[in-house]
């Protein structure tokens, strides 16, 4: 979001060009910015999911398509579309729910009441107007709509497609020089578009790069964000593993499906709704400000557990299917069985921890309800800078958060490759 402001905001790098094309009517804030930001945030996710589906196409399907000399169009219709069709509908529904539950994007780029959402309206009703009845009504509306959407998504299939545990084939792109050139151009344009907001941060934070006072002021939020992310990720992975025990030991198919649904339904639970409900419930019972950090930690844990479960479930079910009977017959001790199981599923454990950590380090919705500036996290510090038009400071803080996220993902993927080998 900060990168988009640096690129397309009032003093953005591309704003003069956009103003010349639109007769000085370009404005990032409002529906324009919200839609652009959601495309930037969700397109890489959609690309990764669809690429996983392409990798699940068996090699013999590609070979058969080559032997039959199928045209590029027929190859799409006969080979590719049947493989990705199921995931496409699930993906569309899931992204729609993500956008519906969006908070940070609308809070930063909404530009006023004309382009607000239920999440932001809930936040304003509670934090600015302290209108608890209105906040409750809006929360129920948000929860009901999100729940109905989730039920519709689960009727299309299991959310296991979110995991990366899919068989990999030698992905073969569509043949034909025209398609190759077209794909190359599209690929290049997408890469440039995705990188531009990140590159736009650089000229913005260069003036404050040597400001040691600013660096020191960002050190504490960075440490707090990392501490929350690491502890939440470890706890979420452990909770996800323990919560899967009943599902793995249920033989009844219908009960298994029901339990799987119960463990993952929180995947689309709006963080704002969960936060508001918790805030109102405990408001008259305890000092919310004194317990704010605990609530931020616990609610982040509840939000990321379903995502950790989605990563662990396929690998653990595969382990049970292939080795559970053998392990039982060998009469190994609990410690030995646990060691073998964890070693087999270690790539999934690492990916679950990585995903939970990245989700937790970027939280802003939960912090907006329970947090305060005395122990501000890095995302909230970025929002505070951007909200007071200190774009240089916001760009530097955003760059730090980006680097931390890259380090987390790179390190865990290295560990995952080592565990796989």
């Amino acid at each position: 979001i900060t990168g988009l402001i640096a690129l397309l905001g009032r003093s953005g790098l591309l704003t003069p060009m956009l103003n010349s094309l639109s007769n000085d009517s370009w404005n990032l804030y409002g529906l324009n910015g919200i839609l652009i930001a959601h495309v930037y945030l969700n397109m890489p996710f959609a690309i990764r999911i669809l690429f996983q589906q392409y990798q699940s196409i068996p090699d013999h399907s590609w070979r058969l398509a080559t032997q039959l000399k199928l045209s590029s169009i027929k190859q799409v219709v006969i080979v590719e579309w049947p493989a990705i069709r199921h995931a496409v509908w699930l993906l569309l529904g899931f992204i729609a729910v993500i956008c519906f539950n969006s908070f940070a994007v609308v809070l930063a780029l909404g530009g006023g009441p004309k382009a607000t959402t239920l999440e932001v309206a809930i936040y304003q009703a509670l934090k600015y107007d302290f209108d608890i009845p209105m906040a409750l009504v809006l929360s129920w509306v948000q929860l009901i709509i999100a729940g109905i959407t989730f039920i519709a998504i689960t009727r299309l299939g299991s959310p296991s497609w979110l995991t990366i545990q899919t068989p990999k084939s030698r992905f073969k792109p569509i043949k034909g020089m025209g398609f190759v050139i077209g794909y190359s151009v599209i690929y290049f344009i997408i890469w440039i578009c995705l990188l531009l907001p990140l590159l736009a941060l650089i000229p913005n934070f260069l003036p404050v790069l040597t400001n040691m006072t600013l660096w020191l002021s960002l050190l504490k939020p960075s440490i707090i964000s990392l501490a929350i992310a690491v502890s939440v990720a470890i706890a979420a992975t452990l909770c996800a593993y323990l919560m899967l025990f009943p599902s793995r030991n249920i033989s009844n198919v219908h009960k298994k499906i029901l339990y799987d649904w119960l463990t993952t339904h929180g995947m689309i639970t709006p963080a704002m709704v969960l936060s508001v409900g918790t805030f109102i419930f405990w408001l008259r019972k305890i000092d919310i400000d004194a317990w704010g950090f605990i609530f931020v930690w616990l609610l982040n844990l509840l939000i990321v557990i379903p995502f950790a479960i989605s990563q662990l479930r396929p690998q653990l079910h595969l382990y049970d299917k292939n080795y559970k009977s053998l392990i039982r017959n060998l009469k190994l001790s609990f410690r030995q069985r646990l060691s073998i199981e964890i070693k087999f599923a270690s790539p999934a454990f690492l990916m679950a921890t990585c995903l939970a950590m990245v989700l937790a380090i970027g939280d802003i919705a939960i912090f907006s309800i329970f947090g305060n500036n005395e122990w501000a996290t890095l995302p909230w510090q970025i929002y505070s800078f951007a909200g007071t038009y200190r774009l240089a400071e916001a760009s530097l803080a955003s760059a730090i958060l980006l680097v931390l996220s890259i380090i987390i993902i790179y390190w865990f993927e290295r560990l995952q490759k080592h565990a796989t080998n």
Side-chain angles (χ1 to χ4, degrees):
I1 296 170
T2 309
L4 285 174
I5 294 173
L7 185 69
L8 305 173
R10 291 189 178 94
S11 58
L13 298 179
L14 298 183
T15 302
M17 181 185 70
L18 293 172
N19 280 329
S20 64
L21 294 174
S22 61
N23 296 323
D24 292 329
S25 62
W26 168 254
N27 182 22
L28 176 68
Y29 297 94
L31 191 58
N32 289 336
I34 293 171
L35 293 177
I36 291 172
H38 280 133
V39 169
Y40 268 92
L41 289 171
N42 293 308
M43 183 169 61
F45 169 68
I47 290 172
R48 178 159 186 166
I49 295 297
L50 291 177
F51 184 68
Q52 290 169 18
Q53 302 305 313
Y54 271 108
Q55 287 184 311
S56 67
I57 299 175
D59 284 336
H60 63 76
S61 296
W62 297 112
R63 287 195 295 267
L64 187 58
T66 303
Q67 292 169 2
L68 294 174
K69 297 181 179 179
L70 296 179
S71 66
S72 299
I73 300 298
K74 288 185 177 178
Q75 189 169 302
V76 172
V77 173
I78 298 174
V79 179
E80 299 181 24
W81 176 244
I84 68 171
R85 178 179 57 195
H86 184 67
V88 165
W89 301 120
L90 285 167
L91 187 60
L92 287 173
F94 197 78
I95 290 177
V97 172
I98 292 175
C99 295
F100 179 74
N101 290 338
S102 174
F103 175 73
V105 172
V106 184
L107 187 66
L109 300 177
K114 288 184 178 180
T116 190
T117 59
L118 280 170
E119 292 244 333
V120 176
I122 294 167
Y123 170 71
Q124 291 172 340
L126 187 65
K127 298 295 285 187
Y128 289 97
D129 303 330
F130 203 69
D131 189 347
I132 292 180
M134 178 58 70
L136 282 173
V137 169
L138 293 173
S139 298
W140 273 110
V141 173
Q142 175 92 350
L143 185 60
I144 289 170
I145 295 175
I148 292 172
T149 309
F150 177 76
I151 291 172
I153 293 173
T154 52
R155 287 184 68 86
L156 292 173
S158 169
S160 60
W161 55 278
L162 286 168
T163 180
I164 64 163
Q165 307 300 331
T166 54
K168 294 184 178 181
S169 67
R170 294 173 296 169
F171 172 66
K172 298 182 179 180
I174 298 173
K175 292 184 177 181
M177 185 56 66
F179 277 101
V180 171
I181 294 174
Y183 282 164
S184 300
V185 171
I186 293 172
Y187 189 77
F188 177 76
I189 292 173
I190 290 175
W191 258 107
I192 294 298
C193 290
L194 286 174
L195 287 176
L196 274 177
L198 305 182
L199 296 176
L201 295 173
I202 298 174
N204 276 278
F205 68 64
L206 284 178
V208 296
L209 195 59
T210 56
N211 188 338
M212 293 307 299
T213 304
L214 177 60
W215 280 98
L216 291 174
S217 68
L218 293 175
L219 180 62
K220 183 179 177 182
S222 301
I223 293 173
I224 291 172
S225 296
L226 274 175
I228 292 174
V230 172
S231 57
V232 164
I234 294 173
T237 305
L238 178 61
C239 290
Y241 177 67
L242 296 175
M243 289 173 68
L244 283 170
F245 268 112
S247 174
R248 296 167 61 190
N249 294 315
I250 294 174
S251 57
N252 186 292
V253 176
H254 296 291
K255 288 183 179 180
K256 193 180 189 72
I257 293 173
L258 176 62
Y259 189 82
D260 286 345
W261 183 87
L262 290 173
T263 55
T264 55
H265 78 282
M267 191 175 290
I268 62 156
T269 301
M272 182 57 65
V273 172
L274 194 62
S275 301
V276 167
T278 305
F279 182 91
I280 294 173
F281 179 81
W282 290 103
L283 181 61
R284 298 181 181 276
K285 297 178 175 63
I286 60 174
D287 182 1
I288 293 289
D289 291 334
W291 289 78
F293 187 87
I294 302 298
F295 282 121
V296 168
W297 191 90
L298 286 174
L299 292 179
N300 269 294
L301 177 64
L302 291 176
I303 290 294
V304 303
I305 282 176
F307 291 91
I309 289 174
S310 72
Q311 298 293 317
L312 290 178
R313 182 192 287 116
Q315 193 78 349
L316 292 176
H317 283 338
L318 180 64
Y319 171 83
D320 292 339
K321 180 180 178 181
N322 294 339
Y323 302 108
K324 192 172 184 179
S325 299
L326 176 62
I327 296 295
R328 189 186 300 114
N329 293 334
L330 291 175
K331 297 181 180 180
L332 301 177
S333 65
F334 173 78
R335 185 175 180 178
Q336 290 173 321
R337 283 182 283 137
L338 185 63
S339 176
I340 295 170
E341 185 174 311
I342 291 177
K343 187 174 182 180
F344 177 86
S346 57
F349 277 104
L350 290 170
M351 185 51 60
T353 307
C354 176
L355 179 61
M357 194 177 297
V358 172
L359 288 172
I361 202 173
D363 166 68
I364 191 171
I366 298 171
F367 185 90
S368 68
I369 300 297
F370 294 99
N372 60 65
N373 291 325
E374 293 181 4
W375 49 275
T377 58
L378 196 54
W380 187 257
Q381 195 69 59
I382 295 169
Y383 170 71
S384 300
F385 284 145
T388 54
Y389 301 102
R390 298 168 65 185
L391 192 56
E393 290 86 345
S395 297
L396 181 60
S398 299
I400 293 172
L401 182 60
L402 175 64
V403 170
L404 289 176
S405 301
I406 290 173
I407 290 172
I408 291 170
I409 294 172
Y410 176 78
W411 186 56
F412 273 96
E413 287 192 346
R414 287 287 301 270
L415 290 175
Q416 189 186 33
K417 286 182 181 178
H418 180 72
T420 305
N421 295 333

